Every structure is written in structure tokens, then in C-alpha cells.
Amino acid sequence: GELVRRPDGGYDRGGTAEGGTEFGLPIAGVRLRVFLRSPIRDRILAYAFGGYLTRRPGETETVVRAAALALNNLLGLATFRMLSGLQRIAVPPPPSGIAVPERTPEERVLFGVPVLLFTEDEIPAARGLVAAEIDLDRVDPVTGGLQLQLSEGDELEWNPAVAGTVAFESFQRVLTETAASVVHSILGEEAMRDVAYDIMLAESGEGTITRLRAATTSLPSLVAKPTRAEVRLVQPGQSP
């Protein structure tokens, strides 16, 4: 396929099917080499990618989708972004591939994150626990760290004064990022890397689950506004 430049300066894919050729993801990771001509200078840009994408080894991926994920990872580099003229590449939906089996509660890492939520105007919005789960099938495609999924759950008490004016979704991103950082800090760099490898290689068994459950027990409270979140520091003699 090829990238076709649009009048607005963006690109569309042309000359290929939406998903492209399918292949099975190997356990050792994906290795890609991408070549494209710079529209800015008369140069061929070459990019070699080696690592893991968003799907597990054994699942089905497509060449177009894999290339888009790999290039989006590189677009954080200003030099490549300037020479390629690319800002963001649309990623096609994943192929059906091999279905990931449904996990039982005993095979999942579920926990609560204590939070204090405020509006941007410092008005108390909610307090209590939000429901969290660690994805044991995929790591974060950008950082290679744990991928957390947070939802409102049923243990979050909202302030009636702000009812209807603020929603949990406004806080979801900053809470997810901060909670992930807290869990990473508790685990430590070496253990975090070992757990990520287990998830990448589909080897997250009982030992991995036990380690993650221990790291997610009694988490500190997070204080958040829609734009930022931080760990609440408890002073001696003060209740959390």
C-alpha cells in the first residue's frame, strides 16, 4: 500500500485493503522495517521496530495495523514527525484473530482505589472507591507498563450539589495514569519489568496474580481534579 497526501496536508492509505495481510504475532515480539519518502525533503526515511504491539502473542494482526501502531510510537520523535509530515496515523480495528478466553474472578486482579474528587473550582465532587482492574492480556503499547482499567463502580459517593454537572469520565484519564504510577512504584522497577514480560508472553499465572494483588492492597488515596491527580499524603496521627 501507499500513503496518499490529502489537500489538507494529511495522509490516506491507498492501494491496499483496509486491514492488509494477516499474520500471527510471535512470542519473541514483532520486527518491522518501514520505508517512506519524505514529502519535506528528497529523502527516504527508514524505521526499524522491534517489540510488542497491543495484542498478545498467538493472536492475529495485520501488516497495515502493525505498521500504523509502530509509526505512531515513533511520532513522539520530533525529527521524524517533521520530516515525515505525519501527526497521527489512524489505526484500523483489530482482526477477529484468536479470541482471548474470558477470565474467572480468581484469574483477575480487581481492586478499589480510594479517591477524593474535586471540580476545577475546588468544589468537592465525590469520595469513596473507584473500581479498578489490571489487564492481564496486554501491556500499555506506549510505555510497556501495566494497563489499568478504571470505572466508577458502586462505591463512589457523589456530592448532590454537583450532581448532573460533572461525571466520572472527566476524571478517568488522570486517575488511571496516577493509579498506574502508584502500582508501578509499589512493585518496583525490576518486579514491574518481570510482570510486564509475563503478560507479554501470556505467562501471567498464579504467581503474577498474587504479586499484583499484594501491590494493589491498601493503596493510598488519590486527590483529583479533571486535569490532574496526586497521591494524598497522610500526616502522622491523621486518618486517611
Side-chain angles (χ1 to χ4, degrees), residues 120-230:
E120 290 295 348
D121 299 326
E122 305 286 350
I123 299 174
R127 66 182 300 159
L129 294 176
V130 298
E133 179 172 5
I134 294 177
D135 192 333
L136 296 177
D137 298 311
R138 299 169 184 82
V139 295
D140 188 296
V142 176
T143 66
L146 294 179
Q147 194 157 256
L148 269 62
Q149 300 166 348
L150 264 64
S151 60
E152 181 175 346
D154 55 7
E155 296 186 59
L156 196 60
E157 182 181 352
W158 288 90
N159 180 2
V162 299
T165 63
V166 64
F168 174 75
E169 287 71 22
S170 302
F171 302 89
Q172 193 167 23
R173 181 184 62 81
V174 293
L175 286 175
T176 300
E177 292 174 354
T178 308
S181 297
V182 171
V183 175
H184 291 182
S185 176
I186 293 172
L187 278 170
E189 195 63 34
E190 185 176 350
M192 176 61 243
R193 191 163 50 245
D194 288 342
V195 168
Y197 287 148
D198 287 343
I199 294 174
M200 289 176 186
L201 302 175
E203 295 177 352
S204 51
E206 185 177 344
T208 302
I209 293 173
T210 299
R211 177 182 287 184
L212 290 174
R213 284 178 177 163
T216 53
T217 300
S218 302
L219 292 177
S221 295
L222 303 184
V223 180
K225 294 181 179 181
T227 55
R228 70 179 187 275
E230 59 187 23

